[in-house]
Amino acid sequence: MAVLDPSTLDVGDHFDWHGFFLGDRRAVLKTYESGLLLCDADLRPEAWIALPGDAEAVEAAVGLDEDLFAAQLWVDDEPMTMVWSLPTP
């Protein structure tokens, strides 16, 4: 499919254990220390996804639709599950 070398990005030590596709055009990868990275389907980075709290607060994330994902994270020491809509490319 595709390969992304984390050494080409400033992502701390490495990527977390998961990522997910948003349709067939984009993917989101979770890092340990830098949050969620939006990529195209060939894993070329497009943008960091800004979420409330720090990057390590993201527990899990899952794609729901081509431009929609949900994430469980900690905000002010409280667990929250939120849904985000990303701009269509």
Side-chain angles (χ1 to χ4, degrees):
M1 290 190 57
V3 175
L4 174 63
D5 180 358
S7 68
T8 64
L9 301 169
D10 184 20
V11 295
D13 289 336
H14 52 279
F15 287 98
D16 202 343
W17 60 271
H18 76 276
F20 53 88
F21 284 100
L22 294 172
D24 60 356
R25 298 176 312 190
R26 298 192 289 182
V28 174
L29 302 175
K30 183 176 179 297
T31 69
Y32 275 116
E33 299 172 352
S34 301
L36 300 177
L37 178 63
L38 179 64
C39 298
D40 68 11
D42 292 321
L43 298 183
R44 288 186 294 260
E46 292 184 353
W48 290 101
I49 298 173
L51 300 175
D54 64 28
E56 294 179 15
V58 178
E59 293 281 328
V62 63
L64 302 174
D65 201 355
E66 286 191 9
D67 302 316
L68 199 65
F69 75 95
Q72 180 183 18
L73 59 150
W74 290 84
V75 177
D76 298 327
D77 295 326
E78 295 291 325
M80 297 187 171
T81 300
M82 300 178 184
V83 175
W84 281 270
S85 177
L86 297 172
T88 303

